[in-house]
Each structure stands twice: as C-alpha cells, then as structure tokens.
Amino acid sequence: MDPSARVYSRFNLRLYDLVVLVISNKWAWRCPTSSTLVPFFHKDLGERAHLDVGVGTGYYTAKSAHNLAKTENVTLLDLNEATLSTASSRLRQAGYRGTIDEIHHNVFHPLPDHLHGKFDSVSLFYLLHCLPGSMVDKGPKVFATLGVALRPDGVLYGATILGRGPGVAHNWLGRRLMGLYNKKGIFGNADDALDDLKNALEGRFEDVEVKLVGVVALFEARRPKTG
C-alpha cells in the first residue's frame, strides 16, 4: 500500500481529527476546518447521490449528516479499508439514514461501470496532495477518473494543500510539516502549484472555479468534457 494510504492506521485515525483538522489546518495551512472547509463541503452536496473520495476519518460526511438527509446514497471510496469502515460507521452514527456503499479502489484506476454517471456531487478533500507525482501528471488522471462518475449537471469539488507557486507562502510550521510529510511519502505536493491545478481541471471540465485560502486551494468543476 502507498505510504500516503498506509499512514491511516486505526491508531492514527484516532489522532487525525486533532492533528490535522484542529492544529494543522488552523496554524500550518491557515485554512480553518470549521469556518472554511466544512461550509465548503456542505455547499455542493448533491441531493440524490454523493461520492466522497479519500475519506479520512469521515469527519466531513459525518458533519454533513443533516445536510445529507435527502440524499439517497453516499458512496465512500478509498485505498485504505480502515478509513472506509471508520468513515462509514461515523456517518451512520451521525444519523444518516440512506444507503452507504464502501468502494476499496485506487483513484488512478478506472471506476467500476456501475458508478458511471451516478453522482450529483463528488468530493475529494485533502486527497490530491497525498498522491505521488506532480500536479501536471496526477491531476488530469484523477479528474478523468472521477469525471465519469458525475451526472451531466453534477459537480466535482475539493481542497488540496499546495507546495509552491504564486500566492503560496508557507509559514515556519507549514514548511517543516511539508518537508517531513513529503520525505516520508505521506504528501506528494512539494511542486503542486495553483496554476497547475487549475490547468488540470480546465483540461477535463468546462466550468472551473479555484480559490486560495492560506496555502489550500478550494476548487469546483462542472460540465465534464467528453473525448
């Protein structure tokens, strides 16, 4: 298993919310979870079916249980079975009553046919910066894979920590975490830049919006290109 997926052991998952969502998001990446990322996650949730990719502890979907009340299906996709079971259980405990599907899958590989055209919304929060390779390489592959999962009026959206480029200025804590995580293979974002992300999205979608909060890019993409 890739180091970026292997790090999410059941023990580490217990620490994830504190270390990443409370401390790192506020102090290192300067993109607060409660005031920025959670509202952004809620903003584009679909009403029929939602696909969450790279599920972590299931924090965002669990925090969205009320917003997902009318959503018939939530599908969780990840390379790590521990994160899938954790996120699924957490969403159910938060009160979600629809169906929950768990898909153990590598996002670089084509999706199963039964997922094509199924979802109103696809979220990928803090996935891209964990994947190996440059944004120029991994971005188009991931967006091509996930774009086919959308309904014609659907939206793909998410957040990723950038490594460099105009507007990306890491503070002392961020630089040290970036160096450590990239060295261990937990992150693969040392060369990820905003323009490369935007270009990768525009290569696959007709309508793209990207903004920077701290060193985190928040993106939305609609109308997948065909061919």
Side-chain angles (χ1 to χ4, degrees), residues 10-218:
R10 294 191 183 277
F11 174 77
N12 287 340
L13 284 170
R14 297 182 188 132
L15 303 175
Y16 180 92
D17 286 0
L18 173 63
V19 173
V20 175
L21 302 179
V22 176
I23 298 173
S24 296
N25 277 351
K26 182 175 182 180
W27 301 109
W29 319 131
R30 309 192 305 284
C31 184
T33 302
S34 296
S35 61
T36 301
L37 292 173
V38 170
F40 185 62
F41 189 89
H42 290 168
K43 178 176 178 286
D44 288 317
L45 285 173
E47 292 189 358
R48 289 167 292 186
H50 176 75
L51 172 63
D52 189 40
V53 184
V55 300
T57 64
Y59 176 88
Y60 292 105
T61 49
K63 282 289 184 181
S64 308
H66 177 74
N67 304 74
L68 290 164
K70 295 182 180 180
T71 304
E72 297 174 2
N73 171 264
V74 173
T75 297
L76 307 172
L77 187 149
D78 204 286
L79 191 58
N80 187 313
E81 292 181 351
T83 62
L84 286 170
S85 61
T86 298
S88 179
S89 296
R90 190 170 187 176
L91 177 58
R92 189 64 77 198
Q93 290 168 6
Y96 177 69
R97 297 179 180 274
T99 60
I100 302 174
D101 294 325
E102 300 176 23
I103 307 291
H104 183 231
H105 189 79
N106 187 323
V107 75
F108 287 128
H109 297 165
L111 293 177
D113 289 345
H114 73 277
L115 298 182
H116 290 201
K118 176 178 179 178
F119 301 98
D120 306 290
S121 52
V122 175
S123 58
L124 49 159
F125 275 52
Y126 281 22
L127 170 69
L128 288 171
H129 64 245
C130 293
L131 300 178
S134 69
M135 186 64 73
V136 173
D137 181 49
K138 64 189 175 185
K141 292 178 182 177
V142 172
F143 300 141
T145 295
L146 298 179
V148 301
L150 287 173
R151 297 179 188 270
D153 58 348
V155 55
L156 178 146
Y157 68 108
T160 187
I161 300 166
L162 299 176
R164 63 169 185 86
V168 180
H170 283 277
N171 60 22
W172 180 89
L173 178 58
R175 288 193 298 273
R176 275 145 187 81
L177 290 179
M178 280 281 295
L180 174 64
Y181 293 163
N182 276 274
K183 182 178 180 179
K184 289 182 174 292
I186 298 170
F187 280 11
N189 68 336
D191 293 319
D192 288 1
L194 188 67
D195 285 346
D196 292 335
L197 171 64
K198 187 174 182 180
N199 289 338
L201 286 163
E202 290 178 341
R204 295 293 176 178
F205 295 89
E206 298 287 351
D207 184 3
V208 171
E209 295 182 27
V210 182
K211 68 177 181 179
L212 192 63
V213 178
V215 295
V216 177
L218 307 182

